[in-house]
Amino acid sequence: MTFVPPNGPDRFRMPPPAMPARDGRLLFDEWAEAELLEQRTVMLRGELDEITAGNVATQLIFLDGAGDEEIRLRIDSGGGSLAAAGVLVDVIDNLGVPVDALATRAEGPAVAVLAVCDHRAATPHATLRMHEPNVTFDGPATAVVSHLEYYRTAVQALFARVSESCRMTPQHLADEFSAGRYLSVDDALAFGLIDEIATPPAQIRNLRRPMGFRPPN
């Protein structure tokens, strides 16, 4: 992806994304991701592991430097690690633009990411669960003990940060994550994990360019 200098001195604009192809097949996911970036929208999908956290963090940082408008983060994520969530929490905290999050599914680490965004919403039937994923460590006993202590410290720091954005203490968060509690959107609203329950907007937005399928030759 290249930067094209715009007319203004403090702005960047992305080049129009072409529909990518590999082995003659269209890679819709890659094309759609580029289209969403054009609209300052980032998707957090699937398991929130270190690779996913790195990819989402890269997109957030890119959009932060590409304009002053808010970034829309769409969350449909379950599983992963709280350490990976901590990476995204730190990135969001250090962005120079607000992040508007909308969750359709946020389980485990994704709940922490949702909670620290500037504006948090969930769809009426969103799946929300505070759940601490299982963690495994390999290696000599001394290394495992050291890693476990580091992990516990990082998780405690993450719960302390999340508690600043909601009406739950760090210990309450730790207890709920340990219990694997499912939340209704009303529960999440009461706990201060979200600001509103989203309702479908009565609006139709057209794509910037036509989209269709060409019959094979």
Side-chain angles (χ1 to χ4, degrees):
M1 186 174 292
T2 58
F3 292 102
V4 179
N7 296 327
D10 299 321
R11 305 276 295 180
F12 295 97
R13 75 174 184 269
M14 296 173 58
M19 182 76 87
R22 184 180 299 158
D23 298 331
R25 293 172 295 180
L26 298 178
L27 299 181
F28 178 80
D29 283 352
E30 295 180 14
W31 174 80
E33 183 177 280
E35 289 285 331
L36 288 170
L37 281 175
E38 284 272 323
Q39 301 174 30
R40 297 184 64 80
T41 300
V42 176
M43 292 292 299
L44 170 54
R45 296 187 300 166
E47 183 175 342
L48 178 49
D49 55 16
E50 285 73 13
I51 294 176
T52 300
N55 290 338
V56 173
T58 298
Q59 294 179 51
L60 291 172
I61 293 170
F62 167 77
L63 292 176
D64 184 25
D68 298 326
E69 298 83 8
E70 68 181 16
I71 298 172
R72 291 182 288 272
L73 178 63
R74 300 299 178 253
I75 301 175
D76 180 10
S77 176
S81 74
L82 291 173
V87 171
L88 287 185
V89 168
D90 286 346
V91 169
I92 291 171
D93 281 346
N94 286 281
L95 293 177
V97 296
V99 177
D100 184 340
L102 173 64
T104 54
R105 179 174 65 121
E107 299 184 55
V111 173
V113 176
L114 171 64
V116 302
C117 291
D118 296 277
H119 185 79
R120 301 87 44 89
T123 57
H125 300 97
T127 301
L128 304 173
R129 186 188 183 195
M130 293 189 287
H131 168 62
E132 185 171 356
N134 294 327
V135 179
T136 58
F137 303 109
D138 296 324
T142 54
V144 170
V145 171
S146 177
H147 198 170
L148 180 59
E149 183 61 30
Y150 170 80
Y151 176 81
R152 286 174 175 169
T153 301
V155 170
Q156 289 172 358
L158 178 62
F159 287 155
R161 170 62 188 91
V162 173
S163 71
E164 297 173 359
S165 299
C166 66
R167 291 185 286 277
M168 303 176 71
T169 65
Q171 186 57 53
H172 188 186
L173 283 165
D175 292 342
E176 297 290 4
F177 268 82
S178 179
R181 174 170 178 173
Y182 281 94
L183 300 173
S184 68
V185 288
D186 291 323
D187 291 333
L189 197 60
F191 284 141
L193 291 169
I194 61 174
D195 300 305
E196 67 171 324
I197 301 171
T199 55
Q203 180 182 13
I204 298 177
R205 301 181 66 177
N206 295 323
L207 292 173
R208 293 187 303 105
R209 62 175 67 85
M211 176 180 172
F213 297 92
R214 178 181 298 174
N217 296 327

